[in-house]
Amino acid sequence: MSASLAPILITGASQRIGLYCAERLLDEGQPVIATFRSERPGLERLRERGALILHADFADEAGILAFIGQLKARTDRLRAIVHNASEWLSEAPGAEAQTFQRLFSVHMLAPYLINLHCAELLERSNPADIVHIGDDVTRKGSAAHIAYSASKAGLDNLTLSFAARLAPHVKVNGIAPALILFKPEDDVEYRARTLAKSALGIEPGAEAVYLGLRYLLDNPYVTGTTLTVNGGRHLK
């Protein structure tokens, strides 16, 4: 890790958007701390490039606090925290409460506790940022994923509260993406139906989120806002 630059922490960086953002930051010479819950092939690339990889399970308070202790043992400052860890769960009959509690823990409790306990690490860096990766679904809710949408909406509100609490030294913003990357198993019909939901009608790839992250990190006059990256879904 560079001795001159404070690292950026990205949670949930083992695959897809989190992994892409971690690699782009490393391309720029930015030290990265990446968390993972399950070992995946992309983590080896991050290790080979010098990223610090930490296991984290945000399913409950104990796991979150254990991670915070581990983080503070490995670094005394942070340039930014990017809360990307996320789970996509539906409410299975009979397991609704467990699903809600898990999503609340991952999407709200983990960012809340990490922000509170790691603010001192951010305050040793100038500039300093927190970025919450939310979801455009909170704009209108979801009949099929009520707990997911509600917990991501709570994350949006944490953006406002922490922006007020940590100003002026730490900027706190959010990114609300819609479709960014299809999964390999997504069929042609699903892809066409999903692309039709936005005005631009494209699968932009993880670069779209990274550009938003870069904007928020680089702009010194933006805090307490959520950047919508949805291809114009709100226009349809």
Side-chain angles (χ1 to χ4, degrees):
M1 227 180 257
S2 168
S4 59
L5 293 175
I8 290 179
L9 168 66
I10 304 180
T11 66
S14 66
Q15 62 178 339
R16 295 174 62 81
I17 294 170
L19 175 62
Y20 182 89
C21 290
E23 292 192 292
R24 285 298 308 273
L25 289 169
L26 290 168
D27 289 342
E28 297 174 2
Q30 169 63 54
V32 168
I33 300 174
T35 81
F36 74 100
R37 183 168 61 90
S38 300
E39 188 72 38
R40 297 183 187 276
L43 291 173
E44 194 54 40
R45 299 204 304 268
L46 297 183
R47 290 188 180 100
E48 291 172 355
R49 300 187 61 185
L52 175 60
I53 310 298
L54 300 178
H55 180 262
D57 190 340
F58 298 147
D60 55 33
E61 179 187 0
I64 298 164
L65 294 178
F67 164 72
I68 292 169
Q70 183 183 189
L71 176 66
K72 288 187 170 183
R74 302 300 296 270
T75 187
D76 64 352
R77 59 192 179 124
L78 290 171
R79 162 65 182 86
I81 300 172
V82 181
H83 290 287
N84 176 68
S86 184
E87 288 205 56
W88 176 250
L89 300 174
S90 300
E91 291 91 343
E96 295 92 345
Q98 295 94 317
T99 297
F100 189 94
Q101 288 170 345
R102 184 172 184 90
L103 292 174
F104 167 80
S105 185
V106 173
H107 296 157
M108 292 182 64
L109 185 61
Y112 172 74
L113 291 176
I114 292 169
N115 290 351
L116 285 179
H117 290 282
C118 297
E120 61 185 293
L121 304 185
L122 292 164
E123 288 166 357
R124 295 175 187 143
S125 173
N126 186 21
D129 288 86
I130 294 172
V131 179
H132 297 140
I133 307 296
D135 195 305
D136 184 59
V137 72
T138 63
R139 184 169 43 86
K140 62 176 186 177
S142 171
H145 295 88
I146 295 172
Y148 175 87
S149 182
S151 59
K152 284 291 191 175
L155 181 61
D156 288 347
N157 195 261
L158 288 179
T159 297
L160 298 172
S161 298
F162 275 108
R165 178 170 180 145
L166 299 180
H169 188 78
V170 180
K171 295 185 284 110
V172 184
N173 293 289
I175 298 175
L179 166 72
I180 299 297
L181 284 169
F182 285 116
K183 296 179 181 178
E185 63 269 24
D186 293 334
D187 61 31
V188 173
E189 181 182 347
Y190 172 80
R191 292 176 185 234
R193 188 170 66 250
T194 303
L195 290 173
K197 292 180 180 179
S198 73
L200 297 181
I202 62 170
E203 175 195 8
E207 176 77 357
V209 174
Y210 178 73
L211 290 173
L213 172 62
R214 191 74 262 172
Y215 165 76
L216 294 175
L217 293 175
D218 292 344
N219 195 316
Y221 200 54
V222 176
T223 196
T225 192
T226 294
L227 180 65
T228 299
V229 183
N230 72 356
R233 282 195 176 200
H234 56 289
L235 304 175
K236 298 283 279 189

